[in-house]
Amino acid sequence: MTATSFGTVTVRGAFVRATLAAVLLLAPLASLAPAPASAAARKPGAEAAAPSGTAAPSGTAAPSGTTVPSGTAADWTPPLSTRGRWIVDAHGNRFRLRSGNWHGASGTWNGSGSAEEDANHHAGENSGRIPLGLDRAPMAEIIAGFGEIGINSVRLPFSNEMIHDSRPVTDRAVAANPSLRGRTPLQVYDAVVRELTAAGLAVILNNHTNTTRWCCGVDGNERWNASRSTGAWEDDWLFMARRYKDNPRVVGADLYNEVRRSVWDDPNWGLGDQHDWFAASQRLGDRILTEADPDLLIVVEGINWTGIPVDGFAHGRPTLEPVRRLSHTLVDSGKLVYSAHFYDYTGPNHSGATGLGETSDPRYRDLTPTELVDVLNRQAFFVTAEQGQHFTAPVWISEFGVGGREETGAAPRAWFENFVDHLIRTDADFAYWPLVGWHEDRKGNGWALLHWDAGGHRMGLYDGDDWRAAAWTRLVRATGRTGHVDPVARWSMLSPDHGDFVASRRMRALPDWNPGARKAVCPDGQRLLGLAHTGNRGLCTDVSTGPLTDPAGTHEVVTDERHVAPGRDWASGYTKFQCADGRFLTGYSVRGSAVSAALCAAAPAGTLGTGGRTVWFDRSDNRGPDPRGGDFAHGHYKGQCADDEYAAGIAWTGRLGSARTPDALYCRKLG
């Protein structure tokens, strides 16, 4: 969500520090403020098979004349991957994530008082450290309800603490599923995953919190490493990815939920420190794909909050805005999905707080429909709308929701209708929060789409008195794009800003080819097409050729002018690292800001031409009249070969006043 500042806010003075601490501790960030009575159960920035003989639920059929698509039909083939802005199945057919959140395993305890008392859990709903509702309804009934409301996938939150929690769940927590008695929370989570996928649903694992408590304020869960080390967080993820590797309908790893400010520190996107969410998610995504499960989608959420929620101080929701300037390049280009969350009571610069911590910034529900669309596009939807960019990827709105029967406010209702309209208009992937809640006498958690009371009676979205039913039906019935999606050209950013950025599986498996230097390498099959004069950024692509690397070929590290033919000095007076004929630039290395070496890969015979031209970019941009790939080095001069060319050399100078940064590219025609 929109930010006024992406970096860490430096605050000086005892008074300001004390004010900040009070604001953050008493009015938690990211919408953990007390909810209005009508929305008391909102999501703040929120086994064995079921016993045989359980009856199918009744009373939740869609209104007469209304149908919703089946969420349980296994009409798609895993694994999932991406093609440009679309998620596709193994056959290349579009798979739209029509999802919901089944929360509980990440915790519902508010953090004070006995965790055994329901009153100390969010909205009075005690999940018992497992997905909510297993005390009230058989698992088969809950999952059947998901199918009836038209979802095809479930975001399934968990906490790091849950993974290691050896305490058996209480009998009460699984009262409606007695076969789960005596199991640990992780074993119950296993059973839920198994039954969801057996019903044909896709499952996205979501690391929601560090500790098993309600999210998302200043609660020890602000960052992936708030309550544990980054190393422990990575180990937990590798464990979970490997645990479900043999279940092909476990399709995604949602790395962490709502990264946000702690009392004293902001997260950031690219500073290279221990709070750098970009670097942490990039590293873990690559580790999951190379060490645990290459089939998983890697879901990276934007930053949920930075700054101090006080008028006069910089604060806001960066959401996915930083992606425009710095995007991920995973070792498998077709596995990245970005995500974002939107609720009516928050805003592009509003934490969602009421009272202490509330600012004068507008909430999303305060915006006109036109203003809302402009803000949503700027904060997240540009990632899918702008094609052929280094950041182009699917965007999954993995949380949105609103109060149901008890929500009478005109503004929240209008916001929900307008937001659903935008999801339909943009053909977006989505996940509603939450799917499951409690009710007593048809009152309680109004946010869930399906509710059960203590007697096991279900209150459903389509019981006739839930105002959201029409909008929800419109959303899940929206056709959008279907069928086969053709492969598209990939554009990938290289950013060795603070260390190696090797996106090639092949090169990662080989010894260090330039020890002591920071190395950047394109994903396998892509070629280097652009470089920045300063800042070390690069741009890779497979445009015009598709995968280019010769699988049987070798690579060469070039640190001199051995391949510059006599009479073909393409940058007179400059040092040139040039690939041999039949090879193309696929990477480079730097020491500080200086070019250190060029990495050249072999291409299949006949795919590379030999005639070339020099593209200078030491004094201005030189990227052609309509360059694709986007601004891969914001604020720096950039050079880029044409789409039908490949880069075969880098020129630089060590003369006085130069930092030995790239000054020119040698661009040659493809064969």
Side-chain angles (χ1 to χ4, degrees):
M1 303 174 189
T2 304
T4 53
S5 170
F6 295 154
T8 301
V9 177
T10 302
V11 182
R12 293 182 175 87
F15 172 76
V16 175
R17 287 195 297 270
T19 300
L20 171 61
V23 169
L24 295 184
L25 290 174
L26 297 179
L29 294 178
S31 58
L32 257 187
S38 61
R42 71 187 179 191
K43 164 59 169 77
E47 138 209 335
S52 60
T54 53
S58 61
T60 57
S64 177
T66 299
T67 59
V68 294
S70 170
T72 57
D75 55 357
W76 58 283
T77 305
L80 301 181
S81 59
T82 70
R83 291 182 177 177
R85 64 138 296 177
W86 308 105
I87 297 172
V88 298
D89 74 357
H91 298 303
N93 294 319
R94 196 270 174 103
F95 183 85
R96 186 187 189 199
L97 290 174
R98 300 192 312 267
S99 319
N101 287 267
W102 190 2
H103 75 298
S106 57
T108 52
W109 180 54
N110 281 326
S112 62
S114 170
E116 303 304 315
E117 298 293 328
D118 293 350
N120 298 324
H121 290 254
H122 182 73
E125 295 177 340
N126 182 354
S127 71
R129 300 174 286 141
I130 57 178
L132 187 69
L134 296 178
D135 60 328
R136 298 187 167 209
M139 194 187 310
E141 179 178 320
I142 295 173
I143 294 173
F146 297 165
E148 291 174 11
I149 60 175
I151 66 171
N152 60 15
S153 44
V154 171
R155 182 177 185 244
L156 196 62
F158 68 88
S159 72
N160 298 93
E161 183 181 358
M162 182 209 78
I163 297 172
H164 305 279
D165 191 346
S166 60
R167 297 171 298 158
V169 300
T170 65
D171 289 353
R172 176 194 174 197
V174 291
N177 294 269
S179 62
L180 299 179
R181 288 178 180 171
R183 302 196 186 188
T184 67
L186 178 58
Q187 290 170 335
V188 174
Y189 191 92
D190 289 340
V192 170
V193 169
R194 184 170 60 250
E195 296 308 309
L196 285 169
T197 57
L201 294 162
V203 170
I204 298 92
L205 311 174
N206 164 234
N207 186 192
H208 209 70
T209 52
N210 289 175
T211 63
T212 306
R213 59 171 291 183
W214 187 252
C215 172
C216 295
V218 182
D219 53 9
N221 295 305
E222 302 90 345
R223 296 187 310 276
W224 62 99
N225 56 3
S227 297
R228 63 193 58 240
S229 69
T230 297
W233 173 66
E234 291 182 358
D235 288 345
D236 283 349
W237 254 121
L238 295 177
F239 169 82
M240 291 293 279
R242 290 167 180 153
R243 188 173 187 87
Y244 305 109
K245 184 177 185 297
D246 293 332
N247 187 335
R249 292 189 184 272
V250 175
V251 299
D254 185 349
L255 300 185
Y256 202 72
N257 182 73
E258 296 192 5
V259 174
R260 58 199 180 275
R261 185 185 175 93
S262 63
V263 172
W264 302 116
D265 297 299
D266 276 330
N268 67 79
W269 193 275
L271 295 185
D273 59 16
Q274 289 301 306
H275 299 164
D276 185 346
W277 174 229
F278 169 80
S281 53
Q282 170 73 39
R283 173 182 161 85
L284 177 58
D286 282 341
R287 289 199 68 191
I288 289 173
L289 292 173
T290 57
E291 301 177 37
D293 187 349
D295 288 335
L296 290 178
L297 295 174
I298 303 299
V299 181
V300 179
E301 189 179 333
I303 293 178
N304 195 59
W305 184 266
T306 63
I308 306 167
V310 176
D311 285 337
F313 289 87
H315 57 265
R317 297 180 181 279
T319 316
L320 292 175
E321 289 193 68
V323 172
R324 184 178 291 280
R325 297 186 178 181
L326 179 59
S327 64
H328 294 73
T329 297
L330 300 175
V331 292
D332 295 315
S333 300
K335 289 298 181 181
L336 174 67
V337 174
Y338 283 118
S339 75
H341 295 175
F342 292 101
Y343 292 99
D344 74 282
Y345 54 86
T346 61
N349 296 93
H350 201 299
S351 72
T354 57
L356 186 63
E358 184 172 11
T359 62
S360 59
D361 305 291
R363 303 172 191 262
Y364 291 112
R365 68 187 179 214
D366 299 325
L367 304 177
T368 67
T370 299
E371 290 170 337
L372 178 63
V373 167
D374 289 345
V375 168
L376 294 175
N377 289 342
R378 185 181 76 242
Q379 293 193 286
F381 290 85
F382 74 92
V383 177
T384 58
E386 299 181 29
Q387 301 297 296
Q389 308 293 302
H390 64 81
F391 54 75
T392 301
V395 170
W396 184 37
I397 305 303
S398 54
E399 285 187 26
F400 76 103
V402 72
R405 291 162 176 80
E406 297 178 31
E407 178 56 81
T408 59
R413 286 191 173 203
W415 171 85
F416 186 71
E417 296 281 357
N418 290 332
F419 190 75
V420 165
D421 286 344
H422 198 58
L423 292 177
I424 295 170
R425 183 184 306 118
T426 57
D427 200 2
D429 299 87
F430 60 86
Y432 185 88
W433 183 285
L435 288 172
V436 176
W438 288 5
H439 83 97
E440 295 300 332
D441 297 324
R442 304 185 73 77
K443 297 183 182 298
N445 183 347
W447 278 61
L449 298 181
L450 301 169
H451 304 76
W452 279 266
D453 68 12
H457 304 106
R458 190 174 77 178
M459 179 175 69
L461 177 67
Y462 291 121
D463 283 356
D465 59 346
D466 194 322
W467 66 272
R468 300 169 299 175
W472 176 259
T473 301
R474 194 167 74 250
L475 177 61
V476 294
R477 291 183 64 193
T479 53
R481 176 161 184 170
T482 59
H484 191 264
V485 177
D486 291 333
V488 298
R490 302 188 187 278
W491 298 88
S492 305
M493 173 187 284
L494 298 180
S495 54
D497 303 5
H498 307 289
D500 286 353
F501 201 92
V502 179
S504 162
R505 281 181 174 269
R506 179 177 183 177
M507 295 309 301
R508 290 166 73 100
L510 296 175
D512 190 337
W513 52 273
N514 195 352
R518 302 194 313 279
K519 294 163 284 294
V521 186
C522 297
D524 292 332
Q526 295 187 32
R527 65 191 188 277
L528 189 70
L529 206 67
L531 273 179
H533 175 54
T534 54
N536 303 133
R537 298 278 176 84
L539 181 69
C540 305
T541 189
D542 59 3
V543 68
S544 301
T545 65
L548 187 60
T549 308
D550 183 353
T554 59
H555 71 275
E556 181 183 17
V557 179
V558 177
T559 58
D560 55 33
E561 297 189 347
R562 72 185 73 177
H563 297 305
V564 180
R568 295 185 180 178
D569 188 344
W570 50 272
S572 179
Y574 287 73
T575 302
K576 295 164 285 292
F577 294 161
Q578 181 179 329
C579 298
D581 290 350
R583 294 179 181 268
F584 62 94
L585 273 172
T586 189
Y588 56 95
S589 61
V590 294
R591 297 177 188 270
S593 59
V595 180
S596 175
L599 182 68
C600 302
T607 57
L608 302 181
T610 56
R613 67 184 179 104
T614 304
V615 174
W616 294 96
F617 51 97
D618 54 333
R619 298 181 183 180
S620 64
D621 268 12
N622 191 354
R623 304 175 59 212
D626 188 24
R628 291 201 281 173
D631 187 348
F632 61 91
H634 182 78
H636 301 269
Y637 298 147
K638 295 168 286 292
Q640 187 169 326
C641 301
D643 289 359
D644 61 351
E645 294 178 325
Y646 67 98
I650 307 170
W652 55 272
T653 181
R655 67 180 58 148
L656 184 65
S658 172
R660 295 180 49 175
T661 59
D663 292 310
L665 280 172
Y666 186 39
C667 299
R668 287 177 152 179
K669 287 285 188 181
L670 295 164

